[in-house]
Amino acid sequence: MTNTPTPHWDIFCTVVDNYGDIGVTWRLAKQLVNEYQIPIKLWVDDLKSFSHILPTLDPKLVSQVFNGVTIHHWTTPLPVPFEPGAVLIEAFACEPPDEVKQQLITLHSTTPQAVPVWLNLEYLSAEDWVDGCHGLPSMQASGIKKYFFFPGFTPKTGGLICERDLFAERDAWQQDSANKLQLFERLGLKDIEAQDTVYSVFSYETESLPTLCELWQDSAKSDAKIHVLIPKGRSLNSLQHLLTCPIEALSPGQQIQLGDLTLHILPMTDQQGFDRLLWSCDFNIVRGEDSFLRAQWAAKPFIWHIYPQEDDYHLIKLEAFIQLYCDNLPPDIAGTWTKLNVAFNQGEQSAVRTHWQNLNPVSLPLLQHAKEWPIDAINAADLATRLVQFVKKS
């Protein structure tokens, strides 16, 4: 007697801002395979950008398998036939191809019980309205239901991406400073000692960044040097006037000395390497959604450079998260951390300088809060677990 194969899930993703959307969906796909043994087909429209966080990916191939996930290049028409599985996830309202939707319509009219559970995996938000919208169905013109699945920070939402053993791996890593020093060496970063202060930067363009760098140039003590780790990309666009050569001429491992501050140019790394980088730094400046969440799981203080939206709606999303994050922080630290994040996102250079100086980013209460927050935020179940539970009930 043979076991019936587990029906596969399809995830469709369009790559936006190079790493954000694909970063989230790639983590989710790997976790569903690894922890739930669900076969995953991941359809991605931009394999070249995807390869930046999965260096072994070949952008020229139509189909390939990594970490148990089958990755298909999403082109028009699709390069391989679409076979409906148990679940279809469109990541961040990317809309599956017309040929896929037409197959669902045909299936609905002939064998309705075989239509996949269709989910729109939405962007992460801490706003109050997410609780009421998570899991709601949207009836399509075809008569098929599509459900809105909202990641979030409360038990009424879809939860947060977090692998089962992540916190244990992080704790083991952070207990021995040799781990971070070996990582820096593997990344080609030289002259960083265990006692030095290390910041990572993965932001969008902002005038806030040169303000901090100019502050760090003359704020380091002789026995506590400051190192800033920064990849080639959007962050560096804001620092061109501080660099000794054009950004294009920079190479991974290169150092730029700015007074007491050393800038290190990072090579691109895979997701596990990025997690470990965040674990190894004293403070992280991150952006978007994927790196924003991984900075929280790193249990280190951070600034979130949220993706700018029309009418400054992103600041509403920022404020909603800040209210949650600061709930158990001492009021004076909460106030300063809040002001720093808001000022950084608005490019208010003078305010950024003032609030950074007032914060003491490596103070014990802030560090302790950063350590406790992930345990509170996970709310007993992660996103993959809640997805599987939702599908079983649908």
Side-chain angles (χ1 to χ4, degrees), residues 52-68:
H52 291 152
I53 60 171
L54 180 57
T56 47
L57 183 75
D58 186 346
K60 301 186 196 68
L61 294 181
V62 166
S63 299
Q64 49 205 302
V65 178
F66 292 95
N67 297 86

Side-chain angles (χ1 to χ4, degrees), residues 183-190 192 198-201 213 227-237 239-240 242-258 261-269 277:
L183 173 66
F184 296 154
E185 187 176 345
R186 286 197 299 273
L187 293 173
L189 312 178
K190 297 179 172 56
I192 303 177
V198 183
Y199 305 141
S200 79
V201 175
C213 286
H227 302 266
V228 170
L229 316 184
I230 185 168
K232 289 179 70 172
R234 298 185 65 171
S235 301
L236 278 174
N237 292 338
L239 300 178
Q240 179 64 78
L242 297 176
L243 305 177
T244 54
C245 65
I247 294 171
E248 300 74 33
L250 295 171
S251 57
Q254 187 170 341
Q255 295 182 21
I256 298 100
Q257 199 67 40
L258 302 170
L261 168 67
T262 306
L263 290 181
H264 298 260
I265 306 303
L266 279 170
M268 284 302 298
T269 182
L277 179 74

Side-chain angles (χ1 to χ4, degrees), residues 17-19 199-213 216 228-239 266 274 277-278 283-289 291-292 303-308 341 344-345:
D17 184 38
N18 293 337
Y19 316 115
Y199 305 141
S200 79
V201 175
F202 187 58
S203 69
Y204 304 111
E205 295 84 354
T206 171
E207 290 303 311
S208 300
L209 200 53
T211 296
L212 284 178
C213 286
W216 295 332
V228 170
L229 316 184
I230 185 168
K232 289 179 70 172
R234 298 185 65 171
S235 301
L236 278 174
N237 292 338
S238 301
L239 300 178
L266 279 170
F274 183 68
L277 179 74
L278 297 176
F283 193 98
N284 298 299
I285 299 177
V286 291
R287 75 189 197 202
E289 180 171 327
S291 59
F292 160 58
I303 288 173
W304 180 25
H305 196 193
I306 189 170
Y307 188 78
N341 272 269
F344 188 94
N345 277 276

Side-chain angles (χ1 to χ4, degrees), residues 364-377:
L364 192 58
L366 194 58
L367 289 172
Q368 187 62 35
H369 179 74
K371 186 79 172 177
E372 293 169 356
W373 167 255
I375 301 166
D376 296 334

Side-chain angles (χ1 to χ4, degrees), residues 10 26 41 57 89 97 127 176 274 279 297 299 313 316 345:
D10 291 282
W26 177 228
K41 296 182 181 180
L57 183 75
I89 297 175
E127 294 169 275
D176 187 352
F274 183 68
W279 299 350
W297 295 162
Y313 182 67
I316 296 174
N345 277 276

